[in-house]
Amino acid sequence: MFRFSKKTPTSFDTVIATKNTSKTVYPILFAISLAHLLNDLLQAVIPAVYPLLKTNYDLNFAQIGMITFCFQVSSSLLQPLVGAYTDKHPKPFSQIAGMVFTFLGIITLAYASSYYWVLLAVVLVGVGSSIFHPESSRVSFMASGGKRSLAQSIFQIGGNTGSALAPLLVAWIVIPNGQRHILWFVAFALLAKVVLFYIGSWYQNILQVSKNIKKKQLMLPDLSPTRIVFSVSILLLLIFSKFFYVASITSYFQFYTMDKFGISEVQAQVYLFYFLISVALGTLVGGFFGDRVGRKYIIWFSVLGVTPFTLALPYVSLEWTGFLVVIIGFILSSAFPSILVYAQELLPKKLGMVSGLFYGFAFGMGGLGSAVLGWWADKTSIEHIYTICSYLPLIGIIACFLPNMKNVKFKEDTDAIK
């Protein structure tokens, strides 16, 4: 027999009355993390091959930025729509459909005969990403057993690890052999489909069990609609500052280190790996502490703690550059699980829409940042953009206006009780 927890919720607490979700379901969390790793590894192939594409198609930085822009826009615009739709009509196997688009995008990128075929390829990968993230984030939420920041960080670390592995695999497989060898990454898409089928089967079972539950409890924050909208707006502005800066690293850091320090393309990929693997570790640690010390404090640490290091980055040697990008990646990424879960706490009845909005906005800001910074680098220099972007984390001071969710009272959603 199913029953509700007898504890009184002191913070956001949605109780789903099924035996499958009454505690943390780690096999599903690890599976969705692996699926995220494979999905984001395939995405990260795109920026990892930028130096190769720049040479093959004789591109300038503005055109490189446009590639990122097309990918990020295609992956960002659809995500809130997909999330809003699946809030009302859950689709357990929709991630597999998304992986089909990514599969086709990787094949197109491998055989692209012109710059415009490259743009089509990245749009296909972007569409796949837009379908994958909202429902996958919901799965991690459902399997969290109340440990929401930890669950979100486990989910996110998969994606970050995949992003970190891509430059190394590209340096090993693609750069020595040519663009056609991107085709090898199709194997990861096929593996992802198998993992997503396992996850979809679990998700479908949960939905079926939930239909038979006569009563469920949903706790809503006792905040005015105006305060909720204001808080969500602050969180989106934080996402803007973070992902605009991250775009400067993922899209142009290879060119920056090659131009400033005269290192090879493969060495530049390794420095990008340092940043991306530190992002993965920061995400996991930030999620772990977000559940324990409070999400607002983790957000504060991330947005203000990283500023001294971003300000110093444009003025240091190659050795210190490698050290600083690790610190920057770790601190900068530590807040993303807390930001996303914070938004879910504010709008618990719209999990898919919120997840789609924040992932979509993050991708959108990354795409916009890449396009703007590429144009700027052509007008000035690749080094100049890091001097300007170093001030972006200072925007994070607006986090002081966020309510502390540990002190916010919660009320029962009477509409959810049947």
Side-chain angles (χ1 to χ4, degrees):
M1 180 178 294
F2 304 130
R3 61 182 180 179
F4 298 118
S5 171
K6 294 182 179 180
K7 69 176 183 177
T8 301
T10 57
S11 64
F12 173 68
D13 190 17
T14 304
V15 180
I16 302 175
T18 73
K19 64 179 180 180
N20 292 23
T21 55
S22 61
K23 59 182 181 180
T24 307
V25 188
Y26 285 104
I28 293 299
L29 287 180
F30 293 140
I32 199 66
S33 181
L34 175 59
H36 200 190
L37 182 154
L38 296 168
N39 180 82
D40 283 23
L41 186 154
L42 294 171
Q43 291 178 189
V45 168
I46 296 170
V49 297
Y50 280 171
L52 184 66
L53 297 178
K54 189 175 189 295
T55 300
N56 288 354
Y57 302 103
D58 193 25
L59 306 179
N60 56 35
F61 287 121
Q63 289 172 309
I64 292 290
M66 186 55 63
I67 295 174
T68 303
F69 180 76
C70 288
F71 164 69
Q72 302 285 32
V73 167
S74 64
S75 64
S76 63
L77 292 180
L78 288 177
Q79 287 204 42
L81 300 177
V82 171
Y85 177 77
T86 54
D87 279 332
K88 297 180 179 180
H89 310 283
K91 301 294 181 184
F93 297 100
S94 60
Q95 297 105 311
I96 296 178
M99 191 54 61
V100 170
F101 282 96
T102 301
F103 176 88
L104 295 174
I106 292 297
I107 294 175
T108 304
L109 184 61
Y111 287 98
S113 58
S114 70
Y115 175 64
Y116 296 102
W117 278 103
V118 172
L119 295 181
L120 174 61
V122 301
V123 167
L124 288 171
V125 176
V127 171
S129 176
S130 70
I131 298 172
F132 173 83
H133 282 97
E135 280 292 76
S136 297
S137 184
R138 189 201 305 276
V139 168
S140 69
F141 180 91
M142 294 175 67
S144 69
K147 300 177 182 178
R148 296 180 184 89
S149 286
L150 177 62
Q152 191 60 230
S153 67
I154 291 174
F155 170 64
Q156 195 63 34
I157 196 175
N160 291 336
T161 303
S163 297
L165 290 174
L168 295 183
L169 293 175
V170 166
W172 177 41
I173 299 171
V174 180
I175 291 177
N177 302 299
Q179 187 174 335
R180 291 290 174 86
H181 282 72
I182 293 174
L183 199 63
W184 283 100
F185 287 87
V186 165
F188 294 109
L190 295 175
L191 175 60
K193 290 180 183 180
V194 176
V195 177
L196 290 170
F197 181 81
Y198 165 70
I199 295 165
S201 299
W202 177 86
Y203 187 9
Q204 187 177 53
N205 180 62
I206 290 296
L207 292 175
Q208 188 61 43
V209 172
S210 298
K211 289 180 181 179
N212 300 323
I213 301 300
K214 294 183 178 180
K215 184 183 291 186
K216 62 181 179 179
Q217 184 184 33
L218 186 67
M219 304 303 296
L220 304 178
D222 191 11
L223 297 171
S224 68
T226 301
R227 186 71 187 278
I228 290 175
V229 171
F230 180 67
S231 298
V232 170
S233 299
I234 290 175
L235 294 173
L236 289 173
L237 194 54
L238 295 178
I239 291 292
F240 161 77
S241 67
K242 284 179 174 295
F243 281 86
F244 210 92
Y245 186 87
V246 168
S248 74
I249 302 292
T250 56
S251 294
Y252 302 110
F253 192 67
Q254 299 164 86
F255 300 111
Y256 171 74
T257 52
M258 291 164 63
D259 182 69
K260 184 174 182 178
F261 303 112
I263 63 177
S264 69
E265 187 176 324
V266 172
Q267 289 174 309
Q269 296 278 19
V270 173
Y271 276 89
L272 179 59
F273 168 78
Y274 292 159
F275 172 77
L276 294 173
I277 199 65
S278 69
V279 166
L281 294 175
T283 300
L284 182 62
V285 173
F288 177 82
F289 283 101
D291 284 327
R292 285 159 175 74
V293 304
R295 287 177 257 283
K296 185 174 180 179
Y297 298 114
I298 296 299
I299 293 172
W300 265 109
F301 166 74
S302 176
V303 297
L304 295 182
V306 75
T307 302
F309 304 105
T310 61
L311 291 173
L313 182 65
Y315 307 102
V316 298
S317 65
L318 177 62
E319 292 74 18
W320 275 100
T321 295
F323 174 75
L324 288 183
V325 294
V326 170
I327 300 298
I328 289 170
F330 183 88
I331 297 177
L332 199 64
S333 64
S334 62
F336 187 75
S338 292
I339 289 174
L340 183 57
V341 175
Y342 201 115
Q344 291 175 337
E345 291 180 357
L346 291 169
L347 296 167
K349 298 175 72 174
K350 301 179 180 179
L351 296 179
M353 186 275 287
V354 168
S355 300
L357 174 64
F358 274 77
Y359 277 109
F361 191 75
F363 287 140
M365 287 303 99
L368 178 63
S370 184
V372 170
L373 294 174
W375 172 83
W376 202 338
D378 283 331
K379 295 293 183 182
T380 57
S381 69
I382 195 70
E383 293 183 35
H384 184 66
I385 64 175
Y386 287 97
T387 303
I388 301 301
C389 287
S390 64
Y391 294 93
L392 280 173
L394 290 173
I395 295 175
I397 197 169
I398 63 169
C400 66
F401 296 108
L402 289 171
N404 189 335
M405 298 302 285
K406 285 193 172 183
N407 299 328
V408 171
K409 294 181 179 180
F410 285 75
K411 59 185 179 180
E412 191 175 272
D413 177 26
T414 56
D415 292 337
I417 299 177
K418 300 178 181 179

